[in-house]
Amino acid sequence: MKIEVNGENKDVTATTVAEALDALGWGEARVATALNGTFVPKGARGTTALSDGDKLEVLTAMQGG
Amino acid sequence: MRDFYGVTLDNPLMLGTAQYPSPAVLEDAFRRSKASVATVSLRREGGEGQAFRDLIDRLGVHVLPNTAGCYSAREAITTAQMAREYFETDWIKLEVIGHGDTLQPDPFALVEATEALCADGFKVFPYCTDDQIIAERLIDAGCKVLMPWGAPIGSGIGLANPYALRTMRAAFPDVAMVVDAGLGLPSHAAEAMELGYDAILLNTAVAQADDPAAMAEGFALAARAGQLAANAGPMPVRDMAAPSTPVIGKAWL
């Protein structure tokens, strides 16, 4: 299925947010996630299903003012 | 002494972490100024997040994540939720921007986001304008800290409206207040603290200085000087001179 990850189109076989993170190499990374603008807590990634066209945001610490 | 959701700060300087020439210079600026709080953000994972996170941990300061760049309450709320999990803190510097030219907060969306986040247990540090009525709404929503702007972010203007900041300080004597944004020189920091503010928050003036660490120290010293002055009780201002040397006892010559 096709989803958008951090603004880029990706073709994934993953069915959940957790599987998508694994497939993208972020399985062990310290990140925060949101799906279609809604926060997905770490504990809910394994049960949050993906659908075609979903927009996944994977964020990390960055400099800020 | 007013605290920040139960936390007393050793140093009234809150410092941003963006725009430094290098991570080493950033670290030096924090060490030399002894800033007590570091603002940080969340951005799309590009592979550098962990190194930055390690640097922040090394600083040993309070971490204040922001919602910079958010233009709606919904965006800001989601960003705050992600920041709380990532940085393991319920502190959030809530920015909901209303206009790209001035980066002025959108007061209506700010109040909306504040209500939702306070109800969800966040300790909100709202980046707000110097409008007293908006401040009342934010306090009603649950804020124990207010962060009115000195001037637009990154402008270096200083305190654009000292009158508004002075009256706001007087209106909310029990609320911890921070002048956030627009400071360009240490004298601006001293002026804010002399008004009775509890802290200052800045980034660009330090990060973009030729010598960021020296400028950070300058801001820290000025903030401390202003704080001492405010606590010491400044003399009243008068229009006419008043001799300081005693007149009684002066010789008739």
Side-chain angles (χ1 to χ4, degrees):
Chain A
M1 106 180 91
K2 287 182 173 32
I3 62 170
E4 210 176 276
V5 181
N6 287 353
E8 289 181 17
N9 293 320
K10 300 275 182 187
D11 215 338
V12 297
T13 54
T15 58
T16 65
V17 170
E19 286 175 18
L21 289 178
D22 279 338
L24 293 160
W26 290 326
E28 302 298 316
R30 184 168 176 169
V31 292
T33 51
L35 188 64
N36 301 323
T38 301
F39 171 53
V40 180
K42 194 173 179 182
R45 289 176 196 159
T47 53
T48 303
L50 292 173
S51 303
D52 204 46
D54 275 354
K55 293 181 193 324
L56 178 63
E57 292 286 342
V58 183
L59 306 188
T60 187
M62 197 59 66
Q63 294 84 353
Chain B
M1 189 173 172
R2 291 173 290 252
D3 60 34
F4 298 83
Y5 293 100
V7 173
T8 305
L9 301 179
D10 311 331
N11 184 324
L13 178 62
M14 301 180 172
L15 199 52
T17 57
Q19 302 180 309
Y20 290 82
S22 71
V25 173
L26 188 170
E27 210 164 339
D28 201 19
F30 272 83
R31 300 232 180 278
R32 203 157 148 189
S33 66
K34 299 185 173 60
S36 55
V37 172
T39 54
V40 294
S41 72
L42 279 181
R43 287 293 180 263
R44 285 171 169 172
E45 168 65 276
E48 296 168 0
Q50 191 56 50
F52 178 65
R53 170 75 207 212
D54 291 344
L55 188 161
I56 293 299
D57 286 346
R58 274 202 307 279
L59 295 177
V61 296
H62 297 282
V63 175
L64 178 59
N66 69 27
T67 62
C70 291
Y71 277 77
S72 69
R74 177 180 153 81
E75 263 185 299
I77 291 165
T78 300
T79 304
Q81 291 168 329
M82 296 171 86
R84 177 164 62 179
E85 180 183 87
Y86 186 92
F87 291 106
E88 299 172 321
T89 177
D90 45 18
W91 281 17
I92 190 75
K93 175 184 168 181
L94 185 60
E95 295 182 42
V96 191
I97 299 302
H99 197 283
D101 287 347
T102 57
L103 298 181
Q104 175 170 343
D106 174 340
F108 308 102
L110 179 66
V111 170
E112 181 188 344
T114 298
E115 286 171 345
L117 291 172
C118 285
D120 191 20
F122 280 88
K123 290 166 177 154
V124 177
F125 292 61
Y127 171 58
C128 55
T129 54
D130 49 25
D131 186 291
Q132 194 172 315
I133 309 307
I134 298 298
E136 277 179 19
R137 296 288 182 277
L138 293 168
I139 292 167
D140 289 347
C143 289
K144 311 272 188 227
V145 175
L146 294 173
M147 301 211 298
W149 63 351
I153 294 169
S155 68
I157 290 170
L159 307 188
N161 191 347
Y163 163 79
L165 292 172
R166 189 165 59 245
T167 52
M168 230 173 128
R169 175 68 284 178
F172 309 109
D174 300 325
V175 177
M177 290 172 63
V178 184
V179 172
D180 177 10
L183 305 187
L185 287 167
S187 54
H188 302 151
E191 189 182 359
M193 296 301 294
E194 285 166 5
L195 289 176
Y197 279 75
D198 302 287
I200 50 159
L201 200 171
L202 68 144
N203 191 154
T204 311
V206 164
Q208 298 287 291
D210 288 344
D211 184 343
M215 188 63 85
E217 185 180 0
F219 267 99
L221 290 169
R224 179 67 183 137
Q227 185 180 48
L228 281 168
N231 293 340
M235 65 168 281
V237 176
R238 49 187 295 161
D239 287 329
M240 293 296 141
S244 50
T245 303
V247 177
I248 296 170
K250 183 188 175 298
W252 285 91
L253 302 171

CSV table of all heavy atoms in Angstrom, one decimal, chain B residues 9-54:
chain,number,residue,atom,x,y,z
B,9,LEU,N,13.9,28.4,39.4
B,9,LEU,CA,15.1,28.4,38.5
B,9,LEU,C,16.3,29.2,39.2
B,9,LEU,O,16.1,30.2,39.7
B,9,LEU,CB,14.7,29.1,37.2
B,9,LEU,CG,13.6,28.5,36.4
B,9,LEU,CD1,13.3,29.3,35.1
B,9,LEU,CD2,13.9,27.0,36.0
B,10,ASP,N,17.5,28.6,39.1
B,10,ASP,CA,18.7,29.2,39.7
B,10,ASP,C,19.0,30.5,38.9
B,10,ASP,O,19.7,31.4,39.4
B,10,ASP,CB,19.9,28.3,39.6
B,10,ASP,CG,19.6,26.9,40.2
B,10,ASP,OD1,18.7,26.9,41.0
B,10,ASP,OD2,20.2,26.0,39.7
B,11,ASN,N,18.7,30.5,37.6
B,11,ASN,CA,19.1,31.5,36.7
B,11,ASN,C,18.0,31.9,35.9
B,11,ASN,O,17.3,31.0,35.3
B,11,ASN,CB,20.3,30.9,35.9
B,11,ASN,CG,20.9,31.9,35.0
B,11,ASN,OD1,20.3,32.8,34.4
B,11,ASN,ND2,22.2,31.8,34.8
B,12,PRO,N,17.7,33.2,35.8
B,12,PRO,CA,16.5,33.6,35.0
B,12,PRO,C,16.6,33.6,33.5
B,12,PRO,O,15.8,34.1,32.8
B,12,PRO,CB,16.3,35.1,35.5
B,12,PRO,CG,17.6,35.6,35.9
B,12,PRO,CD,18.4,34.4,36.4
B,13,LEU,N,17.7,33.0,33.0
B,13,LEU,CA,18.0,33.0,31.6
B,13,LEU,C,17.5,31.7,31.0
B,13,LEU,O,17.9,30.6,31.4
B,13,LEU,CB,19.4,33.2,31.2
B,13,LEU,CG,19.8,33.1,29.8
B,13,LEU,CD1,19.2,34.2,29.0
B,13,LEU,CD2,21.3,33.2,29.6
B,14,MET,N,16.5,31.8,30.1
B,14,MET,CA,16.1,30.6,29.3
B,14,MET,C,16.6,30.8,27.9
B,14,MET,O,16.4,31.9,27.3
B,14,MET,CB,14.5,30.5,29.2
B,14,MET,CG,13.9,30.4,30.6
B,14,MET,SD,12.1,30.4,30.4
B,14,MET,CE,11.6,30.0,32.0
B,15,LEU,N,17.3,29.8,27.3
B,15,LEU,CA,18.0,30.0,26.1
B,15,LEU,C,17.5,29.0,25.0
B,15,LEU,O,17.4,27.8,25.3
B,15,LEU,CB,19.5,29.8,26.4
B,15,LEU,CG,20.5,30.4,25.4
B,15,LEU,CD1,20.3,31.8,25.1
B,15,LEU,CD2,21.9,30.2,26.0
B,16,GLY,N,17.4,29.5,23.8
B,16,GLY,CA,17.0,28.6,22.7
B,16,GLY,C,18.3,27.9,22.2
B,16,GLY,O,19.4,28.2,22.5
B,17,THR,N,18.0,26.8,21.4
B,17,THR,CA,19.1,26.0,21.0
B,17,THR,C,19.4,26.0,19.5
B,17,THR,O,20.2,25.3,18.9
B,17,THR,CB,18.9,24.5,21.4
B,17,THR,OG1,17.6,24.1,20.8
B,17,THR,CG2,18.8,24.4,22.9
B,18,ALA,N,18.7,26.9,18.8
B,18,ALA,CA,18.7,26.9,17.3
B,18,ALA,C,19.7,28.0,16.8
B,18,ALA,O,20.1,28.9,17.5
B,18,ALA,CB,17.3,27.2,16.7
B,19,GLN,N,20.2,27.7,15.6
B,19,GLN,CA,21.0,28.7,14.8
B,19,GLN,C,22.4,28.9,15.3
B,19,GLN,O,23.0,29.9,14.9
B,19,GLN,CB,20.3,30.1,14.8
B,19,GLN,CG,18.9,30.1,14.2
B,19,GLN,CD,18.2,31.5,14.2
B,19,GLN,OE1,18.2,32.2,15.3
B,19,GLN,NE2,17.7,31.9,13.1
B,20,TYR,N,22.9,28.1,16.1
B,20,TYR,CA,24.3,28.2,16.5
B,20,TYR,C,25.3,27.7,15.4
B,20,TYR,O,24.9,26.9,14.6
B,20,TYR,CB,24.6,27.4,17.8
B,20,TYR,CG,23.9,28.0,19.0
B,20,TYR,CD1,22.6,27.7,19.3
B,20,TYR,CD2,24.6,28.8,19.9
B,20,TYR,CE1,21.9,28.3,20.4
B,20,TYR,CE2,24.0,29.4,21.0
B,20,TYR,CZ,22.6,29.1,21.2
B,20,TYR,OH,22.0,29.7,22.3
B,21,PRO,N,26.5,28.3,15.4
B,21,PRO,CA,27.4,27.9,14.3
B,21,PRO,C,27.7,26.4,14.4
B,21,PRO,O,28.0,25.7,13.4
B,21,PRO,CB,28.7,28.7,14.6
B,21,PRO,CG,28.3,29.8,15.5
B,21,PRO,CD,27.0,29.3,16.2
B,22,SER,N,27.7,25.8,15.6
B,22,SER,CA,28.0,24.4,15.8
B,22,SER,C,27.5,23.9,17.1
B,22,SER,O,27.2,24.7,18.0
B,22,SER,CB,29.6,24.2,15.8
B,22,SER,OG,30.1,24.7,17.0
B,23,PRO,N,27.3,22.6,17.3
B,23,PRO,CA,26.9,22.1,18.6
B,23,PRO,C,27.8,22.4,19.7
B,23,PRO,O,27.4,22.7,20.8
B,23,PRO,CB,26.8,20.6,18.4
B,23,PRO,CG,26.7,20.4,16.9
B,23,PRO,CD,27.4,21.5,16.3
B,24,ALA,N,29.1,22.5,19.4
B,24,ALA,CA,30.1,22.8,20.5
B,24,ALA,C,29.9,24.3,21.0
B,24,ALA,O,30.0,24.5,22.2
B,24,ALA,CB,31.5,22.7,19.9
B,25,VAL,N,29.6,25.2,20.0
B,25,VAL,CA,29.4,26.6,20.4
B,25,VAL,C,28.1,26.7,21.3
B,25,VAL,O,28.0,27.4,22.3
B,25,VAL,CB,29.3,27.5,19.2
B,25,VAL,CG1,28.9,28.9,19.6
B,25,VAL,CG2,30.6,27.5,18.5
B,26,LEU,N,27.1,25.9,20.9
B,26,LEU,CA,25.8,25.9,21.7
B,26,LEU,C,26.1,25.4,23.1
B,26,LEU,O,25.7,26.1,24.1
B,26,LEU,CB,24.9,24.9,21.0
B,26,LEU,CG,23.4,24.7,21.5
B,26,LEU,CD1,22.7,23.9,20.5
B,26,LEU,CD2,23.3,24.2,22.8
B,27,GLU,N,26.9,24.4,23.2
B,27,GLU,CA,27.2,23.8,24.5
B,27,GLU,C,28.0,24.9,25.4
B,27,GLU,O,27.7,25.1,26.6
B,27,GLU,CB,28.0,22.5,24.4
B,27,GLU,CG,27.8,21.6,25.5
B,27,GLU,CD,28.3,20.2,25.1
B,27,GLU,OE1,28.5,19.8,23.9
B,27,GLU,OE2,28.5,19.4,26.1
B,28,ASP,N,28.9,25.5,24.7
B,28,ASP,CA,29.7,26.5,25.4
B,28,ASP,C,28.8,27.7,25.9
B,28,ASP,O,29.0,28.2,27.0
B,28,ASP,CB,30.8,27.1,24.4
B,28,ASP,CG,31.9,27.7,25.1
B,28,ASP,OD1,32.1,27.4,26.3
B,28,ASP,OD2,32.7,28.5,24.4
B,29,ALA,N,27.9,28.1,25.1
B,29,ALA,CA,27.0,29.2,25.4
B,29,ALA,C,26.2,28.8,26.7
B,29,ALA,O,26.0,29.7,27.6
B,29,ALA,CB,26.0,29.5,24.3
B,30,PHE,N,25.7,27.6,26.8
B,30,PHE,CA,25.0,27.2,27.9
B,30,PHE,C,25.9,27.1,29.2
B,30,PHE,O,25.5,27.5,30.3
B,30,PHE,CB,24.3,25.8,27.7
B,30,PHE,CG,22.9,26.0,27.1
B,30,PHE,CD1,22.8,26.2,25.7
B,30,PHE,CD2,21.8,26.0,27.9
B,30,PHE,CE1,21.5,26.4,25.2
B,30,PHE,CE2,20.5,26.2,27.3
B,30,PHE,CZ,20.4,26.4,26.0
B,31,ARG,N,27.1,26.6,29.0
B,31,ARG,CA,28.0,26.4,30.1
B,31,ARG,C,28.4,27.8,30.7
B,31,ARG,O,28.4,28.0,31.9
B,31,ARG,CB,29.2,25.6,29.7
B,31,ARG,CG,28.9,24.3,29.2
B,31,ARG,CD,29.8,23.2,29.9
B,31,ARG,NE,29.4,21.9,29.3
B,31,ARG,CZ,28.4,21.1,29.7
B,31,ARG,NH1,27.6,21.6,30.7
B,31,ARG,NH2,28.1,20.0,29.2
B,32,ARG,N,28.7,28.7,29.8
B,32,ARG,CA,29.2,30.0,30.2
B,32,ARG,C,28.1,30.8,30.8
B,32,ARG,O,28.3,31.6,31.8
B,32,ARG,CB,29.8,30.7,29.0
B,32,ARG,CG,30.8,31.7,29.5
B,32,ARG,CD,31.8,32.0,28.4
B,32,ARG,NE,32.2,33.4,28.4
B,32,ARG,CZ,32.9,34.0,27.6
B,32,ARG,NH1,33.3,33.4,26.5
B,32,ARG,NH2,33.2,35.3,27.7
B,33,SER,N,26.9,30.7,30.3
B,33,SER,CA,25.8,31.6,30.8
B,33,SER,C,25.1,30.9,32.0
B,33,SER,O,24.4,31.6,32.7
B,33,SER,CB,24.8,31.8,29.7
B,33,SER,OG,24.1,30.6,29.3
B,34,LYS,N,25.2,29.6,32.2
B,34,LYS,CA,24.5,28.9,33.2
B,34,LYS,C,23.0,29.0,33.0
B,34,LYS,O,22.2,29.1,34.0
B,34,LYS,CB,24.9,29.3,34.6
B,34,LYS,CG,26.4,29.0,34.9
B,34,LYS,CD,26.8,29.3,36.3
B,34,LYS,CE,28.2,28.9,36.7
B,34,LYS,NZ,29.2,29.6,35.9
B,35,ALA,N,22.6,29.1,31.8
B,35,ALA,CA,21.1,29.2,31.5
B,35,ALA,C,20.5,28.0,32.1
B,35,ALA,O,21.0,26.9,32.1
B,35,ALA,CB,20.9,29.2,30.0
B,36,SER,N,19.2,28.2,32.6
B,36,SER,CA,18.6,27.1,33.4
B,36,SER,C,17.6,26.3,32.6
B,36,SER,O,17.2,25.2,33.0
B,36,SER,CB,17.9,27.8,34.6
B,36,SER,OG,17.0,28.8,34.1
B,37,VAL,N,17.2,26.8,31.4
B,37,VAL,CA,16.2,26.2,30.6
B,37,VAL,C,16.7,26.2,29.1
B,37,VAL,O,17.2,27.2,28.7
B,37,VAL,CB,14.8,26.9,30.7
B,37,VAL,CG1,13.8,26.3,29.7
B,37,VAL,CG2,14.3,26.8,32.1
B,38,ALA,N,16.5,25.1,28.4
B,38,ALA,CA,16.8,25.0,27.0
B,38,ALA,C,15.5,24.8,26.2
B,38,ALA,O,14.8,23.8,26.6
B,38,ALA,CB,17.8,23.9,26.7
B,39,THR,N,15.2,25.6,25.2
B,39,THR,CA,14.0,25.3,24.4
B,39,THR,C,14.5,24.4,23.2
B,39,THR,O,15.6,24.6,22.7
B,39,THR,CB,13.3,26.6,23.9
B,39,THR,OG1,14.3,27.4,23.2
B,39,THR,CG2,12.7,27.3,25.0
B,40,VAL,N,13.6,23.5,22.9
B,40,VAL,CA,13.9,22.5,21.8
B,40,VAL,C,12.7,22.3,21.0
B,40,VAL,O,11.6,22.8,21.3
B,40,VAL,CB,14.4,21.1,22.4
B,40,VAL,CG1,15.7,21.3,23.1
B,40,VAL,CG2,13.3,20.6,23.3
B,41,SER,N,12.8,21.6,19.8
B,41,SER,CA,11.6,21.4,19.0
B,41,SER,C,11.6,19.9,18.5
B,41,SER,O,12.5,19.1,18.8
B,41,SER,CB,11.6,22.3,17.8
B,41,SER,OG,12.7,21.9,16.9
B,42,LEU,N,10.6,19.6,17.8
B,42,LEU,CA,10.5,18.3,17.2
B,42,LEU,C,10.4,18.5,15.7
B,42,LEU,O,9.6,19.4,15.3
B,42,LEU,CB,9.2,17.5,17.6
B,42,LEU,CG,9.2,16.8,18.9
B,42,LEU,CD1,7.8,16.1,19.1
B,42,LEU,CD2,10.3,15.7,19.0
B,43,ARG,N,11.2,17.8,14.9
B,43,ARG,CA,11.1,17.9,13.5
B,43,ARG,C,11.2,16.5,12.9
B,43,ARG,O,11.6,15.6,13.6
B,43,ARG,CB,12.2,18.8,13.0
B,43,ARG,CG,12.0,20.3,13.3
B,43,ARG,CD,10.8,20.9,12.5
B,43,ARG,NE,10.6,22.3,12.7
B,43,ARG,CZ,9.7,22.8,13.6
B,43,ARG,NH1,9.0,21.9,14.3
B,43,ARG,NH2,9.5,24.1,13.7
B,44,ARG,N,11.0,16.4,11.6
B,44,ARG,CA,11.0,15.2,10.9
B,44,ARG,C,12.4,14.5,11.1
B,44,ARG,O,13.4,15.1,10.9
B,44,ARG,CB,10.7,15.3,9.4
B,44,ARG,CG,9.2,15.6,9.2
B,44,ARG,CD,8.9,16.0,7.8
B,44,ARG,NE,7.5,16.0,7.5
B,44,ARG,CZ,6.9,16.4,6.4
B,44,ARG,NH1,7.7,16.9,5.4
B,44,ARG,NH2,5.6,16.4,6.3
B,45,GLU,N,12.4,13.2,11.4
B,45,GLU,CA,13.6,12.4,11.6
B,45,GLU,C,14.5,12.4,10.4
B,45,GLU,O,14.0,12.0,9.3
B,45,GLU,CB,13.2,11.0,12.0
B,45,GLU,CG,14.3,10.0,12.0
B,45,GLU,CD,15.4,10.2,13.0
B,45,GLU,OE1,16.3,11.1,12.8
B,45,GLU,OE2,15.3,9.6,14.1
B,46,GLY,N,15.7,12.9,10.6
B,46,GLY,CA,16.6,13.0,9.4
B,46,GLY,C,17.9,12.3,9.8
B,46,GLY,O,18.9,12.5,9.1
B,47,GLY,N,18.0,11.7,11.0
B,47,GLY,CA,19.2,11.0,11.4
B,47,GLY,C,20.0,11.7,12.4
B,47,GLY,O,21.0,11.1,12.9
B,48,GLU,N,19.7,12.9,12.7
B,48,GLU,CA,20.5,13.7,13.7
B,48,GLU,C,19.9,13.9,15.1
B,48,GLU,O,20.5,14.5,15.9
B,48,GLU,CB,20.9,15.1,13.1
B,48,GLU,CG,21.7,15.0,11.8
B,48,GLU,CD,21.8,16.3,11.1
B,48,GLU,OE1,21.2,17.3,11.6
B,48,GLU,OE2,22.4,16.4,10.1
B,49,GLY,N,18.7,13.3,15.2
B,49,GLY,CA,17.9,13.6,16.4
B,49,GLY,C,18.6,13.1,17.7
B,49,GLY,O,18.7,13.8,18.7
B,50,GLN,N,19.2,11.9,17.6
B,50,GLN,CA,19.7,11.3,18.8
B,50,GLN,C,20.9,12.0,19.3
B,50,GLN,O,21.1,12.2,20.5
B,50,GLN,CB,20.1,9.8,18.5
B,50,GLN,CG,20.4,9.0,19.8
B,50,GLN,CD,19.3,9.0,20.9
B,50,GLN,OE1,18.1,8.8,20.6
B,50,GLN,NE2,19.7,9.4,22.1
B,51,ALA,N,21.8,12.5,18.4
B,51,ALA,CA,23.0,13.2,18.8
B,51,ALA,C,22.6,14.5,19.5
B,51,ALA,O,23.2,14.9,20.5
B,51,ALA,CB,23.9,13.5,17.6
B,52,PHE,N,21.6,15.2,18.9
B,52,PHE,CA,21.1,16.4,19.6
B,52,PHE,C,20.5,16.1,20.9
B,52,PHE,O,20.7,16.9,21.9
B,52,PHE,CB,20.1,17.1,18.7
B,52,PHE,CG,19.6,18.4,19.3
B,52,PHE,CD1,20.4,19.5,19.5
B,52,PHE,CD2,18.2,18.5,19.6
B,52,PHE,CE1,19.9,20.7,20.1
B,52,PHE,CE2,17.8,19.7,20.2
B,52,PHE,CZ,18.6,20.7,20.4
B,53,ARG,N,19.7,15.1,21.0
B,53,ARG,CA,19.1,14.7,22.3
B,53,ARG,C,20.2,14.4,23.3
B,53,ARG,O,20.1,14.8,24.5
B,53,ARG,CB,18.2,13.5,22.0
B,53,ARG,CG,17.7,12.8,23.3
B,53,ARG,CD,16.6,13.6,23.9
B,53,ARG,NE,16.5,13.3,25.3
B,53,ARG,CZ,15.4,13.3,26.0
B,53,ARG,NH1,14.3,13.6,25.4
B,53,ARG,NH2,15.4,13.1,27.3
B,54,ASP,N,21.3,13.8,22.9
B,54,ASP,CA,22.4,13.5,23.9
B,54,ASP,C,23.0,14.8,24.3
B,54,ASP,O,23.4,14.9,25.5
B,54,ASP,CB,23.4,12.6,23.2
B,54,ASP,CG,22.9,11.2,22.9
B,54,ASP,OD1,21.9,10.8,23.5
B,54,ASP,OD2,23.5,10.5,22.1
